Amino acid sequence: MQDTKPSTARRALLKAAGGLALATTLPRAVLAADAQERHFDPRPGDWKGYEVVTKVALQRAAGPSTVWIPLPAIDTEWQRSLSNNWSGNAKKTHVETDPHYGARFLVAEFDGSAPPMLEVVSRIQTRDRAENWKTRTPGTEAAEDLRVWLQPTDLMPLDGIVKKTSLTITRGARTDEEKVQRIYDWIVLNTFREPKVKGCGTGDIKTMLETGNFGGKCADLNGLFVGLCRASGVPARDVYGIRIAPSAFGYKELGGKPASLQGAQHCRAEVYLKQHGWVAMDPADVAKVMRQETADWIKDPDNPVVAPVKRALFGGWEGNWMGYNFAHDVRLPGSVAGKVGFLMYPQAQSGGEAYDSLAPDTFKYTITSRAI
């Protein structure tokens, strides 16, 4: 079938003037004598087409089962979501749309007469992004449409410690651009990639700030970035998706392996600036390069390996990634688990028991891609 449109020490950092921690609070990596700055400079160009295939073969299914698959539902200047086709032995399939954020997902219901099998083929086009800060291209979003990107979510409250932290970081900033730059720099200086976190993290930003534990993955770090921006009055949103191709710039941690993409899910971020419209942001990937791109944990954002990434991901990102949606707190019809904080992983249940979406080997799903 087809769908054609779819810690305490950390707390002290909060008191730093303007919210920016002193560089001396972070250990600095020892640079090799021959270290040279690497190249990472995405620029808007030609569209590239991809086919992304998600296959599900539920293990230990007992009785009626349901599978929910996120579908790309983004049509912008950087992504075109073209079509979705599916096949398998589901008794019933249909596409649902989240009424608040517009996320789209396939619902496949199985009657238990045979092991559940499902294949979803999505076709998209994508391209690199980079904001030209020297040129003003005012956004056209109506104020009413922007209000949703200034609202709290279940895991992203905007009052209390979130508001206090945001005000501390942005104190004295005169423009939204200055606010965003300060928050981005604060995230890069104060948070870190924690590989032990499952999946992309939970995005529970209040707990991060209350505990002073600023380690996490993209849903945590970019979620905190988005929450702090919203709390400062700047519209911002997470963009939930998956890496679908290697990086053209040679950064192994900033790309996906097309033959095996389960675990390649990644959320990015955007902010809305009146003089530029929606602008790409990804401080979480700066943290990923610092922690995982080399054998040693780089703790200096000005390290030659990190610097070009930090610079480019403030206003840009590489088009080797497919966005699914901008949605929070998504209700999956019929799910025993209730709402999910965000939707970029396949979800399933059987016999009234939910599968662990972060365990693709036991869930038994695969995701692959190819250029078309």
Side-chain angles (χ1 to χ4, degrees), residues 126-297:
T126 185
R127 61 180 178 180
D128 291 358
R129 300 178 69 179
E131 186 63 34
N132 184 347
W133 296 106
K134 297 180 181 180
T135 301
R136 293 186 176 186
T137 308
T140 58
E141 295 271 7
E144 182 178 352
D145 294 332
L146 291 172
R147 288 194 187 103
V148 67
W149 312 118
L150 288 166
Q151 299 301 311
T153 71
D154 288 358
L155 293 171
M156 189 188 293
L158 303 181
D159 56 0
I161 194 170
V162 179
K163 182 71 171 181
K164 180 179 180 181
T165 304
S166 178
L167 291 176
T168 300
I169 295 171
T170 61
R171 182 178 296 123
R174 295 172 295 175
T175 66
D176 284 356
E177 287 87 344
E178 290 181 9
K179 289 180 181 179
V180 173
Q181 181 73 72
R182 290 191 182 194
I183 294 170
Y184 181 93
D185 291 344
W186 188 93
I187 294 289
V188 171
L189 282 171
N190 290 283
T191 69
F192 62 94
R193 170 86 173 185
E194 178 46 77
K196 295 180 181 179
V197 168
K198 289 186 66 176
C200 288
T202 64
D204 186 349
I205 69 171
K206 179 182 178 182
T207 296
M208 291 176 70
L209 293 173
E210 288 179 338
T211 62
N213 179 2
F214 296 156
K217 289 189 178 174
C218 58
D220 304 309
L221 309 191
N222 280 342
L224 181 56
F225 171 78
V226 167
L228 292 173
C229 285
R230 290 189 185 186
S232 76
V234 179
R237 61 193 184 190
D238 290 291
V239 194
Y240 297 103
I242 187 169
R243 306 181 200 270
I244 55 176
S247 170
F249 301 97
Y251 280 83
K252 60 183 177 64
E253 293 297 332
L254 300 185
K257 299 178 181 179
S260 182
L261 295 176
Q262 51 274 20
Q265 286 87 355
H266 175 61
C267 79
R268 290 175 164 175
E270 290 185 316
V271 297
Y272 188 85
L273 302 173
K274 294 178 182 178
Q275 300 302 326
H276 298 276
W278 285 109
V279 179
M281 297 279 159
D282 199 344
D285 259 358
V286 182
K288 188 175 188 183
V289 168
M290 293 174 74
R291 184 67 185 266
Q292 293 181 239
E293 185 66 27
T294 64
D296 297 323
W297 183 355

Side-chain angles (χ1 to χ4, degrees), residues 14 22 25 28 50 57 63 162 196 199 213 226 260 273 283 287 306 360 368:
L14 303 181
L22 298 176
T25 63
R28 305 177 75 86
Y50 294 95
V162 179
K196 295 180 181 179
N213 179 2
V226 167
S260 182
L273 302 173
V306 181
T368 60

Side-chain angles (χ1 to χ4, degrees), residues 4-6 47 72-82 323 326:
T4 57
K5 186 65 178 176
W47 290 94
I74 293 175
D75 285 290
T76 62
E77 294 181 353
W78 48 269
Q79 179 173 312
R80 297 167 177 166
S81 297
L82 304 179
F326 310 102

Side-chain angles (χ1 to χ4, degrees), residues 299-329:
K299 297 180 180 177
D300 180 2
D302 294 323
N303 179 286
V305 174
V306 181
V309 174
K310 176 190 173 186
R311 183 169 55 248
L313 294 182
F314 184 86
W317 67 42
E318 192 175 356
N320 61 337
W321 170 92
M322 178 182 77
Y324 288 117
N325 57 68
F326 310 102
H328 292 263
D329 307 331

